[in-house]
Amino acid sequence: MTFEIVKSLLIPIIMIGFGIFIKNTENANYQNVKKWWKILVILGIISLILKVINLYV
């Protein structure tokens, strides 16, 4: 795998991970963005699926 392929797959995984982090955190600094965790996870999953499909086609 080249670095570009790894980078393109890593970004959606980071989005999913950060969305889950926001959902589970108790930190007061993240209370304003707690409503955005679902959007981050959904966009990350869709982006990851599309990139994997693009790799194999």
Side-chain angles (χ1 to χ4, degrees):
M1 283 189 164
T2 65
F3 179 71
E4 293 297 320
I5 294 172
V6 172
K7 184 175 73 170
S8 70
L9 293 176
L10 193 60
I11 293 171
I13 293 171
I14 291 173
M15 284 177 59
I16 294 168
F18 193 66
I20 293 171
F21 167 76
I22 289 173
K23 179 186 182 294
N24 293 326
T25 190
E26 297 295 328
N27 193 342
N29 295 333
Y30 291 104
Q31 297 305 316
N32 297 353
V33 294
K34 265 204 174 216
K35 58 187 171 190
W36 294 98
W37 78 270
K38 289 180 185 176
I39 295 172
L40 280 174
V41 170
I42 290 170
L43 286 176
I45 290 171
I46 291 171
S47 177
L48 185 63
I49 290 170
L50 291 176
K51 288 180 191 266
V52 168
I53 289 172
N54 192 22
L55 276 175
Y56 288 113
V57 172

